[in-house]
Amino acid sequence: MKVTFVHPSIGRRPGENYMRTWQMESLPIAALAHLTPDDVEIQFFDDRMEPIDFDAPTDLVAIPIETYTAKRAYQIASTYRAKGIPVVMGGFHATLMPDEVAQYAEAVVIGEAESAWADVIDDARHGTLKPVYKGYDRGSLDNVHFDRSVFKGKRYLPLGLVETGRGCRFPCEFCAIQAFFGQTHRRRPVDKIVAELEQIKHEKRLFFFVDDNFAGSIPKAQELAEAIAPVNIRWVTQMSVDAAHNEEFVATLARSGCRGVLIGFESLERDTLRAMGKKFNTMGGGYANALANLRKYGIRIYGTFIFGYGTETAETFENAYDFAMDNDFFLAAFNHLTPFPGTPLYKRLKDNGQLHYDAWWLNDAYSYNTLPFDTGGMSGEEITQRCVQARKKFYSIPGMMKRGFDKLNRGDFTMMRAFFLINYLHRQEVNKRHMLPFGDPNWSGELLKVA
């Protein structure tokens, strides 16, 4: 038996080759590859950076699907299914929109796939695939492992991805993570994380702990940080800003090799944060104390901001940009609000009649960077324009130089080198992703629905 894994891209721009050579590895693929029996042959195509060989023989195609990649995933699935090859889909979008996904695949995995994959493979062997497989609800992460051999020969970013936990306990209105995991947070066993890092630490110079919120449990995160300190690696992660008020915790992160954190500031306005369900961002006296702690211990910041709650003015964008520049953020994202299906935000906008179209991710009129809803305030077009302007200024040559030679950002040679490389790549992305169509407009097939 042969299984083909495919990681779909967001889309393509007509007349332009958008095969990027700087993507991050796909850990969900590596997790499923590890769970696949040794007597099953595996091949993997990453649609973001290489063409898919649809003529290569295979018995089953497995596609992880997110909302942004749904349209392209259905095109890929239809191409295989037209050849009589069954397709199984899983991931966030498959869990939050199972009825939609089931129209384009012989099987859908709802929830986390680890507990269901053995059944999928066994049924595929015998030609008895079921329409739906359900992973155990938030089971143990003791047996999560990754087969990174599937990445060989592909030009990914020189960044080692490691999963130490899943989920987040905070109820942010717009976040699909809390919808998928039910506001829970779980940690993999510390000894297994340390063993994994020891095994792969010589392969990369920098590691990214891909957790939705590394500080989902501060005591457990501190225990892990203390355990990995002897491994002697540099690493970055994502965490909520509340944890940065705990100076002892921040100091522990720094001693363990943490060099940067992605933090969702999202807004500088308290009323907007309350509407987002992020009132916790205002604790501890606000952002100033948290930022001071991170800077004191040499931890760089990737800050994110979201616009579209109907309260924006031109000053809102200027303040966010100034905040990121004044604090010399390593990176920053200025994004419009996106109503992902399954989130409280999506339900609210739909109930209020604010959505322009229900399945915006499949609508041909929608493209990357546009707002698929009426904000009740500033127009979607102006929000898009101001987000793009903020990105262009932030990643301008003067902007990069100012931030790059900040004492913190140049304080570590590896991180300083990474700063200019990653900022340059983000600078290129501002225009490349703007108004990018979802799916491949040049795809000439027909979306095949399950009979």
Side-chain angles (χ1 to χ4, degrees), residues 59 153 188:
D59 300 296
R188 288 177 63 200

Side-chain angles (χ1 to χ4, degrees), residues 170 172-180 340 342-345:
F170 290 118
C172 302
E173 183 194 40
F174 55 80
C175 186
I177 292 167
Q178 60 98 357
F180 185 92
F340 290 105
T343 62
L345 170 66

Side-chain angles (χ1 to χ4, degrees), residues 6 24 62 117 176 205 213 228 241 268 308 324 392:
V6 179
M24 290 192 288
W117 189 243
R205 293 190 176 185
N213 183 1
I228 65 176
V241 71
L268 303 179
K392 286 184 175 180

